[in-house]
Amino acid sequence: MAKIDLYNFANRRALVRVDFNVPLDKSTFEITDDTRIRAAIPTIHKILSDGGSAILMSHCGRPKNGPDDRFSLRHIVSRVEELLGTKVHFSDQLFSESAYDKSSNLPQGEVLLLENLRFDPREKAGDTGFAKQLAKHGDVYVNDAFGTAHRAHTSTATIAKEFPTDKMFGYLIEKEIESVSRLMNSGQRPITAIVGGAKVSSKIKILTNLLTSVDALIIGGGMSYTFAKALGGSVGDSLVEDDYLETALEIVNKAKQLGVEILIPKDSLVADSFSEDAQTQVVETNAIESGWMGLDVGPVTIDEFHKTIVGSKTILWNGPLGVFEMPKFAAGTKAMAESIAEATDNGTFSLVGGGDSVAAVNQFGFAHKMSHVSTGGGAMLEFLEGKELPGLKAITG
Ligand code: AMP
């Protein structure tokens, strides 16, 4: 495996798997959030400034039956041009004579974007024949699509075999890998993970995997009520997964054995219905009466969590602390974003990824105050769970 920073792309055609799966307005096809395109720019710039050319390939949306203009990447060409400051050619075919003509005659310093990979059903099948057809476009393969690194698709995994030596990660994937390994292996202590979100069931693997790396584990959101109930509390009508009470206790016990501090919200903002117009009050999390449900953490908890966060040197945040989509229940999540921003400002390394916490930091305008906000929801979640990601394995071998 090569390293992008040390590689000289002069006179080479780099076939780059990017994640341009951007949201498009349904009627105008304008890009409503170009974060993913921006994230790929440093890699493309490096290739072009070395004197290479870049052939970009990506999927976009979920086309079901072959080519479908609603998911065409031609809608994004002008924005990619604008962000790169370079001419971007487009090929509406993936591997025809004319498509190969375009990539083989691409002048140095220029970019070709191929049509949506998922217009060909073999993309999701990890197909060797399709991989060979795509591989003809480039002399070197660069994977910078972290968002699809957990998929064993043709362009993210199978294709790497066609480039026995000239394959590497782009800067974005390198940064995602480095952020997680910093947290899991080499982070400065104390290391704190905040895991929130709706359900324990969807976060068990990540909780278990994190326990061996962190000093403190903050649990928030809907899942904290399963923990509170497992520990003997009354949680009223809060979200509880009764099947996971035992699992929650096991996590608490394992944490004790490992000397990991577990913080569960002491107080909650409870509501008499799951709505913005609900009546609310602050009560102890352990003493929520029937008819009331916890939808956010309370002020005592916000204070306690703040102290732990600003005393941490490495932080992972995965999942909101409350139903932040409704302003009435967003205070806990917003306060967490503020605390992490403050810690980061004081030199703490912070990684936000793998859940709705990314949406939350974006919504509250805190994304630029974090050390790294992951671009891959599902991919980051699986990475944090300790799973091997096919897109990464294909390069590292
Ligand atoms: P996840 O995708 O697992 O990170 O879960 C995110 C979702 O959890 C968000 O849509 C939140 O609204 C929801 N959530 C957070 N706190 C609570 C809570 N106390 N009760 C119910 N849902 C919650």
Side-chain angles (χ1 to χ4, degrees), residues 268-314:
S268 289
L269 180 66
V270 298
D272 61 359
S273 69
F274 190 85
S275 97
E276 187 70 68
D277 316 319
Q279 298 292 314
T280 60
Q281 57 176 323
V282 173
V283 298
E284 278 183 28
T285 301
N286 279 338
I288 302 175
E289 285 177 11
S290 154
W292 294 86
M293 62 187 85
L295 295 184
D296 196 6
V297 294
V300 171
T301 303
I302 289 178
D303 257 17
E304 194 190 30
F305 288 180
H306 177 80
K307 287 192 188 99
T308 301
I309 293 299
V310 294
S312 303
K313 287 278 168 241
T314 304

mmCIF file of all heavy atoms in Angstrom, residues 268-314:
data_model
loop_
_atom_site.group_PDB
_atom_site.id
_atom_site.type_symbol
_atom_site.label_atom_id
_atom_site.label_comp_id
_atom_site.label_asym_id
_atom_site.label_seq_id
_atom_site.Cartn_x
_atom_site.Cartn_y
_atom_site.Cartn_z
ATOM 1 N N SER A 268 -33.601 14.510 34.589
ATOM 2 C CA SER A 268 -34.122 14.483 33.219
ATOM 3 C C SER A 268 -35.174 15.563 33.034
ATOM 4 O O SER A 268 -35.887 15.928 33.976
ATOM 5 C CB SER A 268 -34.801 13.146 32.942
ATOM 6 O OG SER A 268 -33.862 12.123 32.840
ATOM 7 N N LEU A 269 -35.275 16.037 31.799
ATOM 8 C CA LEU A 269 -36.400 16.883 31.430
ATOM 9 C C LEU A 269 -37.471 15.918 30.925
ATOM 10 O O LEU A 269 -37.272 15.251 29.900
ATOM 11 C CB LEU A 269 -36.005 17.870 30.327
ATOM 12 C CG LEU A 269 -37.107 18.805 29.860
ATOM 13 C CD1 LEU A 269 -37.530 19.777 30.976
ATOM 14 C CD2 LEU A 269 -36.663 19.602 28.634
ATOM 15 N N VAL A 270 -38.555 15.814 31.694
ATOM 16 C CA VAL A 270 -39.588 14.848 31.312
ATOM 17 C C VAL A 270 -40.789 15.576 30.713
ATOM 18 O O VAL A 270 -41.035 16.757 30.998
ATOM 19 C CB VAL A 270 -40.028 13.964 32.508
ATOM 20 C CG1 VAL A 270 -38.853 13.150 33.021
ATOM 21 C CG2 VAL A 270 -40.638 14.799 33.634
ATOM 22 N N ALA A 271 -41.520 14.859 29.854
ATOM 23 C CA ALA A 271 -42.666 15.452 29.162
ATOM 24 C C ALA A 271 -43.859 14.519 29.311
ATOM 25 O O ALA A 271 -43.686 13.314 29.488
ATOM 26 C CB ALA A 271 -42.317 15.642 27.695
ATOM 27 N N ASP A 272 -45.078 15.123 29.204
ATOM 28 C CA ASP A 272 -46.265 14.256 29.324
ATOM 29 C C ASP A 272 -46.698 13.713 27.967
ATOM 30 O O ASP A 272 -47.682 12.984 27.874
ATOM 31 C CB ASP A 272 -47.413 14.976 30.050
ATOM 32 C CG ASP A 272 -47.874 16.231 29.328
ATOM 33 O OD1 ASP A 272 -47.294 16.563 28.258
ATOM 34 O OD2 ASP A 272 -48.812 16.886 29.825
ATOM 35 N N SER A 273 -45.974 14.097 26.891
ATOM 36 C CA SER A 273 -46.205 13.464 25.583
ATOM 37 C C SER A 273 -44.969 13.703 24.721
ATOM 38 O O SER A 273 -44.159 14.580 25.019
ATOM 39 C CB SER A 273 -47.451 14.039 24.893
ATOM 40 O OG SER A 273 -47.192 15.373 24.510
ATOM 41 N N PHE A 274 -44.848 12.915 23.644
ATOM 42 C CA PHE A 274 -43.684 13.033 22.772
ATOM 43 C C PHE A 274 -43.982 14.135 21.766
ATOM 44 O O PHE A 274 -44.235 13.896 20.595
ATOM 45 C CB PHE A 274 -43.452 11.695 22.055
ATOM 46 C CG PHE A 274 -42.141 11.628 21.317
ATOM 47 C CD1 PHE A 274 -40.972 11.262 21.964
ATOM 48 C CD2 PHE A 274 -42.075 11.921 19.963
ATOM 49 C CE1 PHE A 274 -39.758 11.196 21.284
ATOM 50 C CE2 PHE A 274 -40.871 11.864 19.270
ATOM 51 C CZ PHE A 274 -39.721 11.500 19.933
ATOM 52 N N SER A 275 -44.028 15.387 22.260
ATOM 53 C CA SER A 275 -44.354 16.478 21.336
ATOM 54 C C SER A 275 -43.804 17.796 21.852
ATOM 55 O O SER A 275 -43.529 17.976 23.043
ATOM 56 C CB SER A 275 -45.869 16.564 21.126
ATOM 57 O OG SER A 275 -46.425 17.532 21.973
ATOM 58 N N GLU A 276 -43.674 18.707 20.915
ATOM 59 C CA GLU A 276 -43.164 20.048 21.207
ATOM 60 C C GLU A 276 -44.111 20.815 22.147
ATOM 61 O O GLU A 276 -43.677 21.713 22.861
ATOM 62 C CB GLU A 276 -42.981 20.758 19.862
ATOM 63 C CG GLU A 276 -42.313 22.103 19.894
ATOM 64 C CD GLU A 276 -40.843 22.049 20.242
ATOM 65 O OE1 GLU A 276 -40.043 21.545 19.447
ATOM 66 O OE2 GLU A 276 -40.503 22.530 21.335
ATOM 67 N N ASP A 277 -45.400 20.458 22.129
ATOM 68 C CA ASP A 277 -46.369 21.173 22.992
ATOM 69 C C ASP A 277 -46.567 20.514 24.351
ATOM 70 O O ASP A 277 -47.453 20.897 25.111
ATOM 71 C CB ASP A 277 -47.779 21.193 22.339
ATOM 72 C CG ASP A 277 -47.748 21.527 20.878
ATOM 73 O OD1 ASP A 277 -46.967 22.425 20.544
ATOM 74 O OD2 ASP A 277 -48.487 20.879 20.096
ATOM 75 N N ALA A 278 -45.761 19.518 24.644
ATOM 76 C CA ALA A 278 -45.951 18.779 25.900
ATOM 77 C C ALA A 278 -45.724 19.677 27.119
ATOM 78 O O ALA A 278 -45.029 20.688 27.049
ATOM 79 C CB ALA A 278 -44.963 17.618 25.934
ATOM 80 N N GLN A 279 -46.338 19.269 28.244
ATOM 81 C CA GLN A 279 -45.996 19.869 29.543
ATOM 82 C C GLN A 279 -44.672 19.256 29.955
ATOM 83 O O GLN A 279 -44.461 18.055 29.698
ATOM 84 C CB GLN A 279 -47.031 19.472 30.599
ATOM 85 C CG GLN A 279 -48.448 19.928 30.329
ATOM 86 C CD GLN A 279 -48.554 21.436 30.438
ATOM 87 O OE1 GLN A 279 -48.031 22.036 31.387
ATOM 88 N NE2 GLN A 279 -49.189 22.052 29.459
ATOM 89 N N THR A 280 -43.802 20.036 30.582
ATOM 90 C CA THR A 280 -42.511 19.465 30.973
ATOM 91 C C THR A 280 -42.172 19.803 32.423
ATOM 92 O O THR A 280 -42.723 20.750 32.995
ATOM 93 C CB THR A 280 -41.355 20.012 30.094
ATOM 94 O OG1 THR A 280 -41.307 21.426 30.253
ATOM 95 C CG2 THR A 280 -41.529 19.649 28.638
ATOM 96 N N GLN A 281 -41.283 19.026 32.996
ATOM 97 C CA GLN A 281 -40.703 19.340 34.312
ATOM 98 C C GLN A 281 -39.369 18.611 34.436
ATOM 99 O O GLN A 281 -39.099 17.671 33.696
ATOM 100 C CB GLN A 281 -41.659 18.950 35.440
ATOM 101 C CG GLN A 281 -42.051 17.481 35.413
ATOM 102 C CD GLN A 281 -42.933 17.088 36.596
ATOM 103 O OE1 GLN A 281 -42.729 17.578 37.706
ATOM 104 N NE2 GLN A 281 -43.887 16.207 36.369
ATOM 105 N N VAL A 282 -38.547 19.087 35.376
ATOM 106 C CA VAL A 282 -37.267 18.422 35.615
ATOM 107 C C VAL A 282 -37.414 17.549 36.859
ATOM 108 O O VAL A 282 -37.888 18.017 37.895
ATOM 109 C CB VAL A 282 -36.136 19.454 35.829
ATOM 110 C CG1 VAL A 282 -34.842 18.756 36.243
ATOM 111 C CG2 VAL A 282 -35.900 20.272 34.563
ATOM 112 N N VAL A 283 -37.060 16.282 36.732
ATOM 113 C CA VAL A 283 -37.134 15.364 37.892
ATOM 114 C C VAL A 283 -35.897 14.479 37.921
ATOM 115 O O VAL A 283 -35.137 14.437 36.943
ATOM 116 C CB VAL A 283 -38.398 14.455 37.830
ATOM 117 C CG1 VAL A 283 -39.680 15.265 37.883
ATOM 118 C CG2 VAL A 283 -38.369 13.570 36.597
ATOM 119 N N GLU A 284 -35.718 13.761 39.021
ATOM 120 C CA GLU A 284 -34.612 12.803 39.067
ATOM 121 C C GLU A 284 -34.892 11.670 38.094
ATOM 122 O O GLU A 284 -36.027 11.176 38.021
ATOM 123 C CB GLU A 284 -34.476 12.233 40.479
ATOM 124 C CG GLU A 284 -33.706 13.154 41.383
ATOM 125 C CD GLU A 284 -33.502 12.557 42.759
ATOM 126 O OE1 GLU A 284 -33.462 11.308 42.870
ATOM 127 O OE2 GLU A 284 -33.387 13.347 43.702
ATOM 128 N N THR A 285 -33.873 11.242 37.378
ATOM 129 C CA THR A 285 -34.052 10.189 36.374
ATOM 130 C C THR A 285 -34.587 8.903 37.000
ATOM 131 O O THR A 285 -35.336 8.152 36.376
ATOM 132 C CB THR A 285 -32.704 9.923 35.657
ATOM 133 O OG1 THR A 285 -32.288 11.147 35.062
ATOM 134 C CG2 THR A 285 -32.812 8.861 34.590
ATOM 135 N N ASN A 286 -34.226 8.670 38.252
ATOM 136 C CA ASN A 286 -34.648 7.447 38.943
ATOM 137 C C ASN A 286 -36.067 7.481 39.454
ATOM 138 O O ASN A 286 -36.561 6.497 39.978
ATOM 139 C CB ASN A 286 -33.760 7.239 40.182
ATOM 140 C CG ASN A 286 -32.471 6.624 39.784
ATOM 141 O OD1 ASN A 286 -32.399 5.998 38.730
ATOM 142 N ND2 ASN A 286 -31.447 6.809 40.615
ATOM 143 N N ALA A 287 -36.690 8.650 39.356
ATOM 144 C CA ALA A 287 -38.021 8.791 39.972
ATOM 145 C C ALA A 287 -38.992 9.471 39.005
ATOM 146 O O ALA A 287 -39.648 10.445 39.354
ATOM 147 C CB ALA A 287 -37.885 9.591 41.270
ATOM 148 N N ILE A 288 -39.067 8.923 37.814
ATOM 149 C CA ILE A 288 -40.000 9.481 36.823
ATOM 150 C C ILE A 288 -41.346 8.761 36.994
ATOM 151 O O ILE A 288 -41.407 7.526 37.026
ATOM 152 C CB ILE A 288 -39.458 9.293 35.384
ATOM 153 C CG1 ILE A 288 -38.089 9.967 35.232
ATOM 154 C CG2 ILE A 288 -40.440 9.855 34.363
ATOM 155 C CD1 ILE A 288 -37.400 9.749 33.900
ATOM 156 N N GLU A 289 -42.401 9.573 37.129
ATOM 157 C CA GLU A 289 -43.709 8.955 37.375
ATOM 158 C C GLU A 289 -44.352 8.487 36.084
ATOM 159 O O GLU A 289 -44.026 8.986 35.000
ATOM 160 C CB GLU A 289 -44.615 9.973 38.072
ATOM 161 C CG GLU A 289 -44.214 10.133 39.517
ATOM 162 C CD GLU A 289 -45.041 11.183 40.237
ATOM 163 O OE1 GLU A 289 -46.058 11.632 39.677
ATOM 164 O OE2 GLU A 289 -44.631 11.520 41.356
ATOM 165 N N SER A 290 -45.256 7.552 36.236
ATOM 166 C CA SER A 290 -46.004 7.058 35.088
ATOM 167 C C SER A 290 -46.734 8.245 34.429
ATOM 168 O O SER A 290 -47.196 9.162 35.122
ATOM 169 C CB SER A 290 -46.943 5.980 35.615
ATOM 170 O OG SER A 290 -48.036 5.868 34.811
ATOM 171 N N GLY A 291 -46.827 8.233 33.113
ATOM 172 C CA GLY A 291 -47.445 9.364 32.404
ATOM 173 C C GLY A 291 -46.403 10.377 31.936
ATOM 174 O O GLY A 291 -46.730 11.318 31.207
ATOM 175 N N TRP A 292 -45.153 10.197 32.388
ATOM 176 C CA TRP A 292 -44.086 11.133 31.996
ATOM 177 C C TRP A 292 -42.933 10.350 31.346
ATOM 178 O O TRP A 292 -42.646 9.221 31.734
ATOM 179 C CB TRP A 292 -43.543 11.872 33.220
ATOM 180 C CG TRP A 292 -44.562 12.778 33.840
ATOM 181 C CD1 TRP A 292 -45.492 12.422 34.757
ATOM 182 C CD2 TRP A 292 -44.774 14.160 33.540
ATOM 183 N NE1 TRP A 292 -46.286 13.499 35.088
ATOM 184 C CE2 TRP A 292 -45.857 14.590 34.343
ATOM 185 C CE3 TRP A 292 -44.167 15.087 32.703
ATOM 186 C CZ2 TRP A 292 -46.324 15.893 34.313
ATOM 187 C CZ3 TRP A 292 -44.641 16.396 32.676
ATOM 188 C CH2 TRP A 292 -45.716 16.795 33.477
ATOM 189 N N MET A 293 -42.304 10.988 30.364
ATOM 190 C CA MET A 293 -41.165 10.332 29.704
ATOM 191 C C MET A 293 -39.981 11.289 29.618
ATOM 192 O O MET A 293 -40.157 12.496 29.406
ATOM 193 C CB MET A 293 -41.555 9.875 28.287
ATOM 194 C CG MET A 293 -41.950 10.991 27.372
ATOM 195 S SD MET A 293 -42.596 10.386 25.798
ATOM 196 C CE MET A 293 -44.303 10.097 26.211
ATOM 197 N N GLY A 294 -38.774 10.731 29.809
ATOM 198 C CA GLY A 294 -37.566 11.548 29.751
ATOM 199 C C GLY A 294 -37.176 11.799 28.301
ATOM 200 O O GLY A 294 -36.943 10.855 27.551
ATOM 201 N N LEU A 295 -37.119 13.081 27.931
ATOM 202 C CA LEU A 295 -36.771 13.395 26.536
ATOM 203 C C LEU A 295 -35.489 14.222 26.428
ATOM 204 O O LEU A 295 -35.029 14.515 25.327
ATOM 205 C CB LEU A 295 -37.928 14.118 25.835
ATOM 206 C CG LEU A 295 -39.225 13.286 25.673
ATOM 207 C CD1 LEU A 295 -40.274 14.063 24.876
ATOM 208 C CD2 LEU A 295 -38.975 11.934 25.009
ATOM 209 N N ASP A 296 -34.932 14.606 27.573
ATOM 210 C CA ASP A 296 -33.633 15.306 27.544
ATOM 211 C C ASP A 296 -33.010 15.166 28.934
ATOM 212 O O ASP A 296 -33.693 14.819 29.902
ATOM 213 C CB ASP A 296 -33.837 16.793 27.207
ATOM 214 C CG ASP A 296 -32.535 17.485 26.769
ATOM 215 O OD1 ASP A 296 -31.499 16.783 26.618
ATOM 216 O OD2 ASP A 296 -32.553 18.718 26.574
ATOM 217 N N VAL A 297 -31.713 15.460 29.013
ATOM 218 C CA VAL A 297 -31.076 15.463 30.330
ATOM 219 C C VAL A 297 -31.424 16.768 31.044
ATOM 220 O O VAL A 297 -31.784 17.756 30.405
ATOM 221 C CB VAL A 297 -29.528 15.314 30.207
ATOM 222 C CG1 VAL A 297 -29.168 13.948 29.654
ATOM 223 C CG2 VAL A 297 -28.939 16.414 29.335
ATOM 224 N N GLY A 298 -31.311 16.764 32.352
ATOM 225 C CA GLY A 298 -31.635 17.954 33.144
ATOM 226 C C GLY A 298 -30.387 18.787 33.442
ATOM 227 O O GLY A 298 -29.270 18.402 33.098
ATOM 228 N N PRO A 299 -30.580 19.932 34.144
ATOM 229 C CA PRO A 299 -29.472 20.872 34.385
ATOM 230 C C PRO A 299 -28.354 20.320 35.267
ATOM 231 O O PRO A 299 -27.172 20.639 35.047
ATOM 232 C CB PRO A 299 -30.144 22.079 35.044
ATOM 233 C CG PRO A 299 -31.498 21.610 35.466
ATOM 234 C CD PRO A 299 -31.871 20.459 34.595
ATOM 235 N N VAL A 300 -28.681 19.489 36.250
ATOM 236 C CA VAL A 300 -27.640 18.919 37.121
ATOM 237 C C VAL A 300 -26.715 18.034 36.275
ATOM 238 O O VAL A 300 -25.480 18.074 36.375
ATOM 239 C CB VAL A 300 -28.284 18.093 38.266
ATOM 240 C CG1 VAL A 300 -27.231 17.321 39.039
ATOM 241 C CG2 VAL A 300 -29.096 18.999 39.180
ATOM 242 N N THR A 301 -27.356 17.254 35.398
ATOM 243 C CA THR A 301 -26.591 16.360 34.520
ATOM 244 C C THR A 301 -25.724 17.164 33.560
ATOM 245 O O THR A 301 -24.546 16.823 33.332
ATOM 246 C CB THR A 301 -27.580 15.473 33.713
ATOM 247 O OG1 THR A 301 -28.390 14.772 34.656
ATOM 248 C CG2 THR A 301 -26.857 14.506 32.821
ATOM 249 N N ILE A 302 -26.278 18.223 33.005
ATOM 250 C CA ILE A 302 -25.507 19.057 32.067
ATOM 251 C C ILE A 302 -24.232 19.545 32.760
ATOM 252 O O ILE A 302 -23.141 19.488 32.201
ATOM 253 C CB ILE A 302 -26.369 20.251 31.549
ATOM 254 C CG1 ILE A 302 -27.441 19.708 30.594
ATOM 255 C CG2 ILE A 302 -25.509 21.308 30.865
ATOM 256 C CD1 ILE A 302 -28.406 20.741 30.042
ATOM 257 N N ASP A 303 -24.388 19.979 34.015
ATOM 258 C CA ASP A 303 -23.231 20.458 34.793
ATOM 259 C C ASP A 303 -22.213 19.353 35.022
ATOM 260 O O ASP A 303 -21.007 19.548 34.863
ATOM 261 C CB ASP A 303 -23.722 20.920 36.170
ATOM 262 C CG ASP A 303 -23.787 22.406 36.249
ATOM 263 O OD1 ASP A 303 -23.767 23.038 35.174
ATOM 264 O OD2 ASP A 303 -23.863 22.918 37.392
ATOM 265 N N GLU A 304 -22.721 18.195 35.431
ATOM 266 C CA GLU A 304 -21.825 17.077 35.739
ATOM 267 C C GLU A 304 -21.066 16.637 34.485
ATOM 268 O O GLU A 304 -19.850 16.425 34.516
ATOM 269 C CB GLU A 304 -22.651 15.912 36.299
ATOM 270 C CG GLU A 304 -21.770 14.862 36.949
ATOM 271 C CD GLU A 304 -22.534 13.589 37.291
ATOM 272 O OE1 GLU A 304 -23.505 13.252 36.600
ATOM 273 O OE2 GLU A 304 -22.131 12.942 38.260
ATOM 274 N N PHE A 305 -21.788 16.501 33.374
ATOM 275 C CA PHE A 305 -21.148 16.081 32.124
ATOM 276 C C PHE A 305 -20.103 17.122 31.686
ATOM 277 O O PHE A 305 -19.024 16.786 31.207
ATOM 278 C CB PHE A 305 -22.187 15.888 31.006
ATOM 279 C CG PHE A 305 -23.060 14.655 31.162
ATOM 280 C CD1 PHE A 305 -24.043 14.350 30.220
ATOM 281 C CD2 PHE A 305 -22.894 13.780 32.243
ATOM 282 C CE1 PHE A 305 -24.847 13.216 30.351
ATOM 283 C CE2 PHE A 305 -23.703 12.634 32.386
ATOM 284 C CZ PHE A 305 -24.676 12.367 31.429
ATOM 285 N N HIS A 306 -20.443 18.395 31.873
ATOM 286 C CA HIS A 306 -19.524 19.463 31.479
ATOM 287 C C HIS A 306 -18.178 19.290 32.184
ATOM 288 O O HIS A 306 -17.121 19.391 31.562
ATOM 289 C CB HIS A 306 -20.139 20.831 31.820
ATOM 290 C CG HIS A 306 -19.234 21.982 31.513
ATOM 291 N ND1 HIS A 306 -19.077 22.492 30.243
ATOM 292 C CD2 HIS A 306 -18.382 22.706 32.294
ATOM 293 C CE1 HIS A 306 -18.204 23.480 30.257
ATOM 294 N NE2 HIS A 306 -17.763 23.635 31.497
ATOM 295 N N LYS A 307 -18.242 19.001 33.495
ATOM 296 C CA LYS A 307 -16.995 18.850 34.274
ATOM 297 C C LYS A 307 -16.152 17.720 33.711
ATOM 298 O O LYS A 307 -14.932 17.840 33.567
ATOM 299 C CB LYS A 307 -17.305 18.586 35.753
ATOM 300 C CG LYS A 307 -17.813 19.824 36.449
ATOM 301 C CD LYS A 307 -17.837 19.641 37.966
ATOM 302 C CE LYS A 307 -18.539 20.826 38.621
ATOM 303 N NZ LYS A 307 -19.940 20.573 38.964
ATOM 304 N N THR A 308 -16.793 16.602 33.405
ATOM 305 C CA THR A 308 -16.039 15.458 32.859
ATOM 306 C C THR A 308 -15.453 15.805 31.497
ATOM 307 O O THR A 308 -14.295 15.494 31.200
ATOM 308 C CB THR A 308 -16.961 14.220 32.744
ATOM 309 O OG1 THR A 308 -17.451 13.929 34.043
ATOM 310 C CG2 THR A 308 -16.232 13.012 32.196
ATOM 311 N N ILE A 309 -16.245 16.469 30.672
ATOM 312 C CA ILE A 309 -15.790 16.778 29.307
ATOM 313 C C ILE A 309 -14.582 17.723 29.337
ATOM 314 O O ILE A 309 -13.570 17.469 28.673
ATOM 315 C CB ILE A 309 -16.939 17.415 28.478
ATOM 316 C CG1 ILE A 309 -18.044 16.384 28.249
ATOM 317 C CG2 ILE A 309 -16.443 17.980 27.156
ATOM 318 C CD1 ILE A 309 -17.632 15.158 27.497
ATOM 319 N N VAL A 310 -14.672 18.797 30.105
ATOM 320 C CA VAL A 310 -13.557 19.756 30.071
ATOM 321 C C VAL A 310 -12.310 19.195 30.766
ATOM 322 O O VAL A 310 -11.213 19.716 30.584
ATOM 323 C CB VAL A 310 -13.923 21.159 30.634
ATOM 324 C CG1 VAL A 310 -14.958 21.823 29.745
ATOM 325 C CG2 VAL A 310 -14.415 21.071 32.071
ATOM 326 N N GLY A 311 -12.483 18.102 31.512
ATOM 327 C CA GLY A 311 -11.319 17.460 32.138
ATOM 328 C C GLY A 311 -10.757 16.337 31.272
ATOM 329 O O GLY A 311 -9.836 15.640 31.694
ATOM 330 N N SER A 312 -11.302 16.142 30.069
ATOM 331 C CA SER A 312 -10.844 15.035 29.207
ATOM 332 C C SER A 312 -9.851 15.535 28.163
ATOM 333 O O SER A 312 -9.902 16.685 27.743
ATOM 334 C CB SER A 312 -12.036 14.416 28.470
ATOM 335 O OG SER A 312 -12.998 13.981 29.386
ATOM 336 N N LYS A 313 -8.978 14.634 27.741
ATOM 337 C CA LYS A 313 -7.976 15.009 26.725
ATOM 338 C C LYS A 313 -8.311 14.422 25.348
ATOM 339 O O LYS A 313 -7.801 14.857 24.321
ATOM 340 C CB LYS A 313 -6.584 14.513 27.160
ATOM 341 C CG LYS A 313 -6.000 15.311 28.300
ATOM 342 C CD LYS A 313 -5.350 16.582 27.739
ATOM 343 C CE LYS A 313 -5.003 17.589 28.805
ATOM 344 N NZ LYS A 313 -5.692 18.862 28.650
ATOM 345 N N THR A 314 -9.152 13.364 25.354
ATOM 346 C CA THR A 314 -9.588 12.760 24.093
ATOM 347 C C THR A 314 -11.066 12.433 24.243
ATOM 348 O O THR A 314 -11.481 11.890 25.277
ATOM 349 C CB THR A 314 -8.791 11.455 23.817
ATOM 350 O OG1 THR A 314 -7.398 11.766 23.832
ATOM 351 C CG2 THR A 314 -9.153 10.849 22.465
#
